[in-house]
Amino acid sequence: MSMRTPLKNVRHLGSAKEGTVHWWHQKVTAVALIPLFVIALAYVISLVGADYERVRYILSLPFTSIILLLLIGATFYHLKLGLQVVIEDYIHGELRKVVCLMLNNFFCAVVGLAAALAVLKLAFGG
């Protein structure tokens, strides 16, 4: 005996069976962002008042670059997941929802890659 309505069976609506994975990724990125943000904030505070060459040198160190790249990756993935939930919950038209989800993915990818490119440019002295 199925709990699904006949209309739901025709439309193939129901659980996508991905909610737990989505929730888990959201929580893991939230926890990962805490130490990454604290370390990045410590770098920013330590560089207040420093000259351009000092800032450039510190930001080009391998450890600093890795921390910043991890921070960028986790931030934009967390942003993508969070906005996806908001869009799915509050945008009701199917076409509008799909367009907003695509724009969300595109925005997070483009801005995240641009930020990562800036860090890599500093890291490799470009």
Side-chain angles (χ1 to χ4, degrees):
M1 176 177 183
S2 173
M3 297 296 289
R4 298 173 85 182
T5 65
L7 182 59
K8 219 174 202 181
N9 286 329
V10 170
R11 290 186 180 167
H12 299 290
L13 297 175
S15 173
K17 297 185 178 31
E18 292 184 14
T20 304
V21 172
H22 185 100
W23 179 87
W24 186 248
H25 285 190
Q26 188 81 15
K27 301 308 174 220
V28 168
T29 56
V31 170
L33 283 170
I34 295 168
L36 293 171
F37 180 77
V38 169
I39 294 169
L41 185 63
Y43 272 113
V44 169
I45 291 171
S46 72
L47 291 172
V48 170
D51 64 336
Y52 175 76
E53 289 303 319
R54 176 78 179 153
V55 172
R56 188 171 178 178
Y57 170 74
I58 295 297
L59 293 181
S60 69
L61 293 173
F63 179 76
T64 309
S65 298
I66 290 170
I67 291 297
L68 291 176
L69 288 171
L70 288 171
L71 178 65
I72 290 166
T75 298
F76 284 100
Y77 185 58
H78 187 78
L79 174 66
K80 177 197 152 318
L81 293 173
L83 285 176
Q84 179 181 337
V85 170
V86 171
I87 291 167
E88 289 171 348
D89 287 350
Y90 294 106
I91 306 293
H92 297 294
E94 224 24 66
L95 179 62
R96 186 179 297 155
K97 187 183 295 188
V98 170
V99 169
C100 287
L101 287 171
M102 288 172 55
L103 288 173
N104 176 38
N105 289 338
F106 182 72
F107 173 80
C108 290
V110 168
V111 177
L113 288 173
L117 177 63
V119 171
L120 291 172
K121 200 169 180 186
L122 274 171
F124 293 119

